[in-house]
Amino acid sequence: MRWSLKNLIQVVALVAIILTFLTSTTAGFRVNKQALIKTTLETNYAYAEKLSSTTDIFLRETLRTLEVNAEEVLPLLDDEEAQQKLNQIVERIRTQTSTFNSVAVSSEDGIVLGVSPPSLEILGEKLTSIGARQAINEMKPVISQPYTGITGELLIFISVPLIKDGEYRGFLGGAIYLNKPNVLEKILGDHFYEDGSYVYVVDSDGKLIYHQQEERLKDNVAGNEAVQKVIKGETGSMQLINTKGVPMLAGYSYLSIADWGIVSQRQVDTSVEPAKEMVLEMAWKSLPLLVLAFLLVYVLSKKIALPLQKLAYYAENSIKSNEQEKMVEVPDWYYEARQLKGAMLHSLDYFKNEMNYFIHQSTTDPLTKLTNRRTMDDFMKQWVENKTPFSIIILDIDKFKRVNDRYGHATGDEVLIYLSDLMQRAVRKQDICCRYGGEEFVILLPKADKVTAYLTAERLREKMEDTISPCGEVVTISLGVAAFPEHADHPARLLELADQSLYEAKRTGRNKTIVASDEPRHE
């Protein structure tokens, strides 16, 4: 088969168009995939750090609660008629805080002096559990490693010593069942999301003590690379293959007070799925232009044939000087050639613009259209490097899970969009609104002090409080404020202080704004 010049031009042009398309889509996919992996690792690391910080605060507050109540217990140790009073104290500790599943007062030799709930029937008995022996042996505040108690439950035992006149008289302690309802279980035990991400917690030996699949509790996952690092006291993020052979993107954080490791992870395939969807969308959007480009090549190839035939003729007769001169004088190229070149350049420009568009999309939250965490971090890093003062507001929708449970996730998304719109209307033109994750948002206020940030936060909070949200009822928010460099001189610390203020607002009643402590804190 002899190919005509027109056919050759058409084939070459078609191959060029296809190769250009494949190169552009492949490059776009790879860039977006890497951005998604990086964002997921950063998100999981931040979430593990946040959860570790929250758990640390909880455990310290729990020890403090026991210490305060220990002062009330001490005067009763020498009172033989104080049995009822001791039982009332431990019952109050167990029922008022929802922290402990059981609470006990013990003498220095492990004899139970008071217990709640009474159904345990161990009053007057000698405690021989791991937690009790550790409390007696160490005679100091103790958070035990997880173990199986006399009830058959996997638990930890938190205790403080009873010291009277410099003499060890016993301990006051409580057991927290790791797979039963309590405050700690709420903090650590319910973090499974429909997007495939979840949280689990391991002890110092690499055994699971929290997992969304309860049957996996006590499984040893020390073979997991992230677990190996976190039980050594390290904190960070990494891509790995978990013990079930599934590729994961994990963030991990070490909880020093309890010697635990907290890991937040998500499957790689789930994380990069948006990149695949981007390629398909780009292909569909590009298809009409590709068809148009090929039709243009088909038409132009007929017009290109004649000039090229003349060039071939000139080449064959180039021994004649006048023919060589005519070949030199052939314009490079004529109108038709410039049209083809223009069409190809137009195609390249289109693919480049499309790739830039989707790269831009990877830095924007698709639901609320606010800036995502990656871009937020870039702004904060730049301002800190340039020593530009700024403030940060972290806000969270109060009881948002109830909105999703009652009205559905579609309505929950409408509430998020509604809040995002109010945020953008409540801030200054130069302020930056970001979606931090889930129902949590961040507002960056460049060249704004804590007072300006507080007033902005209150304006937004009051607007939310005074209007009906898309779910048909008022939805409130809690906010935490911190300022650079007044409160901290590092972005991570500033976020931590603002988040602690948000936690304090939540803890003290919600629907309020709390500013971080005025005392400067330096990394």
Side-chain angles (χ1 to χ4, degrees):
M1 176 181 178
R2 298 184 63 182
W3 288 70
S4 68
L5 181 59
K6 180 183 69 175
N7 296 141
L8 288 174
I9 294 174
Q10 291 173 351
V11 170
V12 170
L14 180 61
V15 170
I17 292 173
I18 293 175
L19 289 178
T20 301
F21 170 74
L22 292 176
T23 301
S24 300
T25 53
T26 301
F29 173 76
R30 290 179 178 176
V31 170
N32 200 32
K33 177 182 177 181
Q34 291 303 316
L36 288 170
I37 289 176
K38 182 179 179 181
T39 299
T40 302
L41 288 172
E42 292 172 348
T43 300
N44 285 339
Y45 169 69
Y47 194 75
E49 279 279 84
K50 177 183 177 181
L51 202 54
S52 177
S53 174
T54 302
T55 306
D56 181 85
I57 293 172
F58 166 75
L59 293 175
R60 294 185 187 278
E61 289 294 327
T62 300
L63 284 171
R64 179 57 185 161
T65 298
L66 290 175
E67 289 172 352
V68 170
N69 283 277
E71 296 175 2
E72 188 176 349
V73 170
L74 282 173
L76 304 176
L77 294 178
D78 297 322
D79 187 352
E80 297 180 356
E81 299 180 2
Q83 179 65 61
Q84 184 177 0
K85 182 64 175 176
L86 285 174
N87 284 334
Q88 290 175 350
I89 293 174
V90 294
E91 179 71 11
R92 183 189 67 207
I93 296 172
R94 184 180 70 86
T95 58
Q96 287 185 349
T97 65
S98 298
T99 298
F100 300 105
N101 296 95
S102 63
V103 181
V105 176
S106 169
S107 66
E108 65 271 19
D109 52 3
I111 302 300
V112 178
L113 304 178
V115 64
S116 175
S119 59
L120 289 178
E121 297 182 352
I122 58 173
L123 191 65
E125 300 290 332
K126 184 173 183 178
L127 294 175
T128 59
S129 65
I130 294 174
R133 293 201 305 270
Q134 185 178 359
I136 294 172
N137 291 337
E138 296 186 13
M139 294 186 291
K140 64 179 184 180
V142 168
I143 300 175
S144 75
Q145 285 297 306
Y147 66 93
T148 303
I150 59 175
T151 61
E153 300 286 350
L154 182 65
L155 59 85
I156 61 170
F157 191 73
I158 303 178
S159 63
V160 295
L162 299 173
I163 307 295
K164 188 174 183 180
D165 299 327
E167 180 182 359
Y168 178 75
R169 300 295 302 276
F171 63 81
L172 170 63
I176 300 178
Y177 297 166
L178 297 181
N179 59 341
K180 295 294 183 182
N182 51 59
V183 177
L184 185 59
E185 192 272 341
K186 288 293 182 183
I187 294 175
L188 293 177
D190 188 16
H191 298 277
F192 179 75
Y193 296 96
E194 293 181 357
D195 64 0
S197 61
Y198 61 92
V199 172
Y200 63 87
V201 184
V202 297
D203 64 14
S204 59
D205 295 324
K207 293 181 180 178
L208 290 171
I209 60 176
Y210 276 104
H211 197 279
Q212 81 270 14
Q213 299 174 354
E214 188 173 325
E215 64 273 13
R216 294 202 61 191
L217 291 181
K218 301 183 184 179
D219 282 3
N220 192 310
V221 292
N224 185 298
E225 293 181 65
V227 173
Q228 292 173 4
K229 289 181 177 294
V230 79
I231 62 179
K232 292 179 182 178
E234 299 180 21
T235 296
S237 61
M238 65 186 304
Q239 186 171 345
L240 53 84
I241 306 295
N242 70 5
T243 54
K244 298 295 184 179
V246 180
M248 290 286 184
L249 299 172
Y252 50 90
S253 180
Y254 177 64
L255 182 61
S256 59
I257 190 173
D259 199 17
W260 295 347
I262 299 177
V263 181
S264 173
Q265 64 181 21
R266 188 183 187 196
Q267 291 188 21
V268 173
D269 289 345
T270 304
S271 299
V272 302
E273 185 63 28
K276 299 176 183 178
E277 295 173 357
M278 179 211 71
V279 171
L280 293 176
E281 183 179 355
M282 186 175 180
W284 279 111
K285 287 186 176 181
S286 304
L287 185 59
L289 184 61
L290 294 176
V291 173
L292 178 62
F294 180 74
L295 290 176
L296 184 62
V297 168
Y298 179 81
V299 172
L300 292 177
S301 63
K302 295 180 179 180
K303 297 181 179 181
I304 291 174
L306 182 59
L308 292 181
Q309 287 175 352
K310 290 183 177 180
L311 288 175
Y313 174 79
Y314 293 152
E316 290 176 352
N317 296 278
S318 59
I319 56 174
K320 299 179 181 179
S321 58
N322 60 332
E323 298 295 309
Q324 291 176 348
E325 291 174 359
K326 291 180 180 179
M327 183 181 294
V328 172
E329 293 173 356
V330 172
D332 54 357
W333 281 80
Y334 40 79
Y335 174 76
E336 291 78 8
R338 289 198 302 273
Q339 288 294 98
L340 177 60
K341 180 180 179 181
M344 295 301 297
L345 290 177
H346 178 71
S347 296
L348 288 173
D349 288 340
Y350 174 79
F351 292 133
K352 181 179 179 181
N353 290 336
E354 284 291 292
M355 184 173 68
N356 289 337
Y357 168 76
F358 285 110
I359 292 174
H360 171 73
Q361 287 295 93
S362 69
T363 65
T364 303
D365 177 59
L367 177 64
T368 63
K369 308 306 178 184
L370 299 181
T371 298
N372 64 14
R373 176 175 180 143
R374 180 184 181 188
T375 307
M376 178 194 78
D377 290 339
D378 290 339
F379 276 113
M380 293 180 65
K381 180 180 178 182
Q382 178 182 347
W383 293 342
V384 169
E385 289 176 351
N386 296 335
K387 301 188 182 304
T388 302
F390 67 96
S391 293
I392 179 173
I393 302 172
I394 293 184
L395 57 126
D396 189 286
I397 299 177
D398 297 328
K399 300 181 180 179
F400 184 66
K401 185 177 184 298
R402 183 177 65 84
V403 174
N404 279 333
D405 291 344
R406 176 174 295 181
Y407 302 103
H409 288 275
T411 301
D413 288 346
E414 291 179 9
V415 172
L416 293 176
I417 295 171
Y418 166 75
L419 173 56
S420 303
D421 182 62
L422 287 185
M423 286 171 60
Q424 294 180 88
R425 285 189 281 166
V427 300
R428 304 170 304 173
K429 183 177 180 180
Q430 65 268 35
D431 297 335
I432 301 167
C433 297
C434 316
R435 187 178 182 188
Y436 195 63
E439 68 272 21
E440 198 167 29
F441 296 80
V442 169
I443 301 175
L444 300 179
L445 301 94
K447 298 181 181 179
D449 58 17
K450 65 180 183 181
V451 175
T452 301
Y454 175 79
L455 294 176
T456 301
E458 279 295 282
R459 185 164 59 250
L460 176 60
R461 184 190 66 79
E462 290 171 0
K463 185 64 176 177
M464 283 290 290
E465 186 183 39
D466 293 338
T467 56
I468 302 298
S469 74
C471 71
E473 63 181 56
V474 172
V475 175
T476 62
I477 57 175
S478 298
L479 308 95
V481 175
F484 168 85
E486 183 175 359
H487 294 130
D489 55 9
H490 190 277
R493 179 58 178 163
L494 194 66
L495 280 169
E496 181 183 359
L497 290 176
D499 196 59
Q500 289 175 0
S501 298
L502 170 60
Y503 174 81
E504 183 67 14
K506 290 277 191 183
R507 189 185 67 82
T508 56
R510 301 185 177 90
N511 191 22
K512 62 174 64 175
T513 301
I514 291 184
V515 181
S517 170
D518 288 334
E519 181 181 353
R521 300 185 181 185
H522 301 285
E523 301 299 324

